[in-house]
Amino acid sequence: MPRILLSDYDFHDLALEEALFASQGIDVVKAQCRTEDDVIRAAQGCFGILLQYAPITDKVVRALPQLGIVSRYGAGFDTIDTAACERHGVWVANSPDYGVGEVATHALALALALVRNVVAYNRDITAGEWHYLSSGPLKRASDLTLGIVGLGRIGKRMAHVSRNVFGRVVACDPYLIDGDFPAYVQRAPTLAALVGQADVISLHVPLNAETRGLIGADVLAATKRGAFLVNTARGAVVDVDAALAALADGTLAGLALDVLPTEPVPRDSPLVGHPRVILTPHAAFFSLDAERELRRKAAQNLATWHKTGRPEYVVTAGTRKPM
Ligand code: NAI
């Protein structure tokens, strides 16, 4: 019987995937792979890998000649070496459009929690303090500028849901033509120009060689004093040490992170319990409906490839064919 490896997952159960694959006559091997060797061991004899965060590297692809396709739960595919997959003819698929609204509203929720001091007020009340000035002064949201870095699927939705909240929305995306900017979004020509004018910066870029550490000491040095930074993209886009230094020197007034370079966040990280930091556990994508759609689409890529030789959502096309 043909089989796939479900290499790692943090869902409570896998009933949806098991039912989908059973209906197609495909066996499922379940594992919690963290390393390349874990994946290589577990994927023996599998035509496909359905993964959350497991590493799919050149070493993995080279060691699995029977592998035809890998499909990622989610939009991002930064744990997959797509160039290596392409070289070896392995298809790469993802599920890019299941939670666009969820991530955008989560980013807006984090931005507003910072702007309105929501988490700080709650902390102060828990500590016995009840006063509207307990967490410092607040500015009017309609006087603030929202700066969006990466105006793709989620960035555009963020602009849409935020446009009546903030006074102005600006965005920086060097890969879009002017015509792809909605009329209510002003174009910042560079990242430096964006961070120099935004009161709230929200990150929506993919993680790749260009964006790793994109928000580092130099960009923060050009950032408007007292800005808020929200990251729902990928943890490694922000240099956390530089962001903590910017919080300490007042460049940043607050930081909200749904994604972190190491997940889960280490208990002893200075981010945990920091009075000006809000953390959520890589949950921006989540709603019950979005999770179901994510899982169905990511799994269906494998079943469809097995039947037709091509998945629904192609990241990079391969040359290997189902046997
Ligand atoms: P997308 O591919 O639709 O949009 C990304 C945009 O960023 C593109 O328009 C691209 O031109 C732009 N871009 C690339 N490099 C740039 C740069 N150096 N500067 C400015 N813009 C740049 O991606 P999508 O679906 O909107 O996802 C955005 C991010 O959200 C990704 O990092 C993804 O992994 C993450 N994500 C996070 C989730 C969560 O639960 N926290 C869930 C889903 C996605």
Side-chain angles (χ1 to χ4, degrees):
M1 196 157 167
R3 65 175 187 268
I4 65 110
L5 169 67
L6 215 160
S7 64
D8 61 306
Y9 53 94
D10 53 20
F11 311 121
H12 283 307
D13 67 66
L14 297 173
L16 185 152
E17 291 81 352
E18 283 168 339
L20 187 148
F21 288 119
S23 74
Q24 311 281 322
I26 296 169
D27 247 0
V28 179
V29 178
K30 287 169 272 180
Q32 290 291 10
C33 303
R34 295 284 172 259
T35 65
E36 295 167 302
D37 289 334
D38 292 345
V39 179
I40 292 168
R41 247 191 317 274
Q44 293 300 320
C46 293
F47 75 78
I49 299 177
L50 181 53
L51 69 129
Q52 207 164 12
Y53 303 110
I56 307 295
T57 60
D58 187 70
K59 176 178 170 183
V60 170
V61 181
R62 256 189 298 117
L64 299 171
Q66 81 296 347
L67 183 67
I69 177 167
V70 298
S71 176
R72 166 134 212 286
Y73 286 117
F77 41 84
D78 39 273
T79 66
I80 303 172
D81 183 340
T82 51
C85 289
E86 212 169 353
R87 267 197 310 280
H88 294 280
V90 173
W91 292 76
V92 179
N94 68 346
S95 43
D97 55 2
Y98 66 94
V100 172
E102 279 79 0
V103 182
T105 45
H106 197 86
L108 178 58
L110 291 175
L112 287 178
L114 289 171
V115 167
R116 296 299 312 165
N117 260 345
V118 173
V119 175
Y121 279 137
N122 186 62
R123 183 201 59 221
D124 293 347
I125 292 170
T126 308
E129 201 178 350
W130 176 278
H131 199 283
Y132 68 87
L133 283 174
S134 69
S135 301
L138 300 186
K139 288 183 184 150
R140 198 170 252 182
S142 57
D143 287 342
L144 302 181
T145 295
L146 169 67
I148 293 176
V149 185
L151 198 62
R153 280 178 296 258
I154 296 169
K156 275 204 182 71
R157 186 72 72 89
M158 176 64 173
H160 183 77
V161 297
S162 305
R163 67 190 171 140
N164 293 325
V165 174
F166 297 103
R168 221 158 55 93
V169 181
V170 298
C172 158
D173 192 322
Y175 300 104
L176 294 189
I177 58 166
D178 288 345
D180 281 337
F181 277 63
Y184 50 85
V185 180
Q186 292 169 26
R187 181 166 209 154
T190 60
L191 181 56
L194 180 131
V195 299
Q197 60 182 304
D199 301 286
V200 178
I201 302 161
S202 191
L203 305 177
H204 301 287
V205 290
L207 175 62
N208 55 36
E210 184 195 348
T211 60
R212 188 175 290 278
L214 186 71
I215 308 299
D218 49 344
V219 168
L220 289 163
T223 295
K224 183 173 176 182
R225 197 169 169 77
F228 297 109
L229 176 63
V230 176
N231 188 11
T232 57
R234 280 291 179 270
V237 174
V238 174
D239 175 339
V240 168
D241 291 339
L244 282 165
L247 277 174
D249 71 20
T251 304
L252 290 179
L255 178 64
L257 304 174
D258 180 56
V259 286
L260 290 141
T262 306
E263 296 176 6
V265 66
R267 290 294 308 152
D268 59 354
S269 163
L271 293 166
V272 178
H274 190 297
R276 301 227 149 260
V277 176
I278 299 174
L279 301 178
T280 54
H282 202 144
F285 75 95
F286 180 63
S287 71
L288 289 174
D289 285 334
E291 188 193 285
R292 265 193 294 272
E293 197 175 321
L294 161 75
R295 294 170 60 180
R296 184 176 52 73
K297 287 179 167 172
Q300 187 64 48
N301 277 325
L302 297 182
T304 302
W305 179 84
H306 187 250
K307 210 166 168 179
T308 69
R310 189 181 176 87
E312 277 84 359
Y313 294 95
V314 178
V315 173
T316 52
T319 50
R320 294 190 184 175
K321 294 183 171 45
M323 303 221 228

